């Protein structure tokens, strides 16, 4: 990694998925990953390094067609409402990435 600006886990998950697709490995569904968080009372998608350090960050990997979460990580505390909003925008981001 020459320069990291946040989202390393999600970047790695998406890169592996693309590598498997490129290699022709048959998969029932693709894994898509996005990072969401809550900064100053606002839910934010695709946090950079500075934003990641400002608030709570929730990386999510999703199987978009069947709506199954395959990875979820939360290293800081969020209120249940904030977590719900973060999860919602992260899952929406994964679905858009899949399109």
């Amino acid at each position: 990694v020459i320069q990291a600006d946040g989202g390393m886990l999600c970047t790695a998950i998406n890169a592996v998925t693309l590598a498997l697709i490129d290699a022709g490995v048959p998969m029932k569904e693709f894994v898509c990953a996005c990072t969401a968080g809550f900064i100053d009372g606002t839910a934010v998608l695709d946090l950079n390094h500075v934003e990641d350090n400002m608030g709570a960050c929730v990386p999510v990997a999703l199987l978009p067609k069947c709506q199954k979460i395959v990875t979820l990580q939360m290293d800081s505390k969020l209120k249940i409402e904030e977590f719900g909003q973060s999860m919602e925008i992260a899952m929406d981001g994964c679905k858009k990435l899949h399109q």
Side-chain angles (χ1 to χ4, degrees):
V1 175
I2 296 171
Q3 180 179 348
D5 191 24
M8 295 278 294
L9 175 61
C10 293
T11 301
I13 291 169
N14 290 327
V16 167
T17 298
L18 292 173
L20 291 170
I21 292 167
D22 188 55
V25 175
M27 296 185 288
K28 292 181 180 182
E29 190 168 356
F30 305 143
V31 180
C32 299
C34 283
T35 302
F38 227 80
I39 300 171
D40 298 328
T42 304
V44 181
L45 181 65
D46 194 24
L47 284 73
N48 63 30
H49 182 68
V50 174
E51 293 167 333
D52 188 9
N53 291 330
M54 289 174 60
C57 177
V58 182
V60 177
L62 179 73
L63 298 172
K65 289 181 183 176
C66 67
Q67 301 286 312
K68 290 187 179 179
I69 296 171
V70 293
T71 300
L72 173 64
Q73 177 182 333
M74 192 168 84
D75 295 330
S76 55
K77 294 180 182 179
L78 279 174
K79 296 176 184 171
I80 191 71
E81 302 85 27
E82 295 172 342
F83 176 73
Q85 290 178 26
S86 297
M87 285 297 300
E88 185 177 325
I89 66 166
M91 292 177 70
D92 287 343
C94 290
K95 291 175 201 171
K96 288 179 183 174
L97 184 63
H98 182 256
Q99 295 172 350

